[in-house]
């Protein structure tokens, strides 16, 4: 069974400011809330800063989580209301079907691996020199795509593998009276 969680974060607390500014801290806090986590389980999380006064942490996990530590350190532990909502994700998954359209946000890191960077940093140049001297094959360099066109191409070439597609732009007719 899969669970979707929403945790309220108090941005005025010291530990929550660490979460809001450091993705590694969020990852650690999320993994700390999954007592039955297996190494091959996928856990997805997203910090939703739409409202800077009331950010939320969303987590999709294969096991039932316990967010007590996040509520105590980063939430409003003594306030009224629902601090962390944990719901079964199965009803939504059962509604997925071919042809259904969903909207979502994605944060990704569009990168490529290359053995020969065009503008090598001093550390990369040293590794290339060492590789040439030893004749050994070393792992390539991970380089981020810097242009919007390259990032979009990186994304669009992977959507089919990820199980969805991005529909072509469409122009809907104008609403009546506009």
């Amino acid at each position: 069974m899969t669970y979707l969680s929403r945790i309220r974060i108090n941005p005025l607390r010291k530990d929550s400011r660490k979460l809001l500014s450091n993705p590694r801290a969020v990852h650690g806090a999320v993994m700390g809330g999954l007592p039955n986590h297996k190494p091959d389980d996928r856990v997805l999380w997203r910090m939703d800063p739409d409202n800077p006064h009331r950010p939320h942490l969303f987590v999709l996990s294969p096991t039932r989580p316990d967010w007590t530590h996040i509520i105590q350190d980063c939430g409003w532990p003594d306030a009224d209301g629902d601090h962390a909502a944990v719901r079964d994700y199965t009803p939504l998954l059962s509604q997925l079907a071919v042809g259904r359209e969903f909207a979502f946000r994605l944060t990704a890191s569009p990168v490529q691996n290359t053995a020969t960077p065009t503008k090598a940093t001093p550390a990369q140049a040293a590794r290339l020199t060492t590789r040439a001297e030893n004749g050994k094959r070393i792992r390539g360099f991970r380089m981020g795509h810097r242009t919007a066109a390259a990032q979009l191409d990186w994304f669009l070439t992977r959507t089919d593998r990820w199980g969805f597609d991005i529909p072509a732009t469409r122009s809907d007719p104008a609403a009546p009276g506009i």
Side-chain angles (χ1 to χ4, degrees):
M1 186 178 302
T2 306
Y3 296 92
L4 178 64
S5 304
R6 183 188 72 212
I7 305 130
R8 291 182 3 189
I9 303 295
N10 181 349
L12 300 177
R13 298 188 72 182
K14 179 181 138 188
D15 288 339
S16 63
R17 287 192 300 270
K18 181 179 176 186
L19 282 187
L20 293 169
S21 64
N22 186 346
R24 290 182 185 200
V26 177
H27 178 76
V30 166
M31 300 314 285
L34 302 170
N36 300 324
H37 176 68
K38 297 179 186 106
D40 57 335
D41 287 344
R42 260 188 96 170
V43 177
L44 303 175
W45 61 265
R46 178 174 68 93
M47 188 64 75
D48 192 6
D50 283 350
N51 181 348
H53 302 292
R54 293 230 174 195
H56 288 93
L57 172 62
F58 289 95
V59 182
L60 188 65
S61 61
T63 58
R64 185 156 185 87
D66 177 16
W67 304 123
T68 307
H69 67 291
I70 296 178
I71 295 167
Q72 292 297 322
D73 296 339
C74 305
W76 286 273
D78 298 326
D80 294 336
D82 196 10
H83 301 290
V86 179
R87 302 288 187 263
D88 181 10
Y89 199 59
T90 308
L92 177 69
L93 292 177
S94 65
Q95 293 179 12
L96 295 179
V98 175
R100 299 262 337 246
E101 290 186 16
F102 293 90
F104 62 93
R105 286 184 276 181
L106 171 82
T107 301
S109 188
V111 296
Q112 65 180 345
N113 286 328
T114 181
T116 55
T118 53
K119 293 182 180 178
T121 65
Q124 291 170 341
R127 274 183 56 196
L128 288 169
T129 304
T130 304
R131 180 178 69 177
E133 290 172 358
N134 296 339
K136 291 183 179 178
R137 182 175 178 264
I138 61 171
R139 183 177 175 186
F141 301 100
R142 184 169 287 175
M143 310 292 289
H145 289 291
R146 296 181 184 264
T147 65
Q151 292 170 357
L152 183 61
D153 183 57
W154 176 90
F155 176 71
L156 292 176
T157 57
R158 285 162 174 75
T159 57
D160 190 42
R161 200 175 344 152
W162 292 336
F164 64 91
D165 65 345
I166 305 297
T169 306
R170 63 178 188 218
S171 295
D172 293 334
I178 294 182

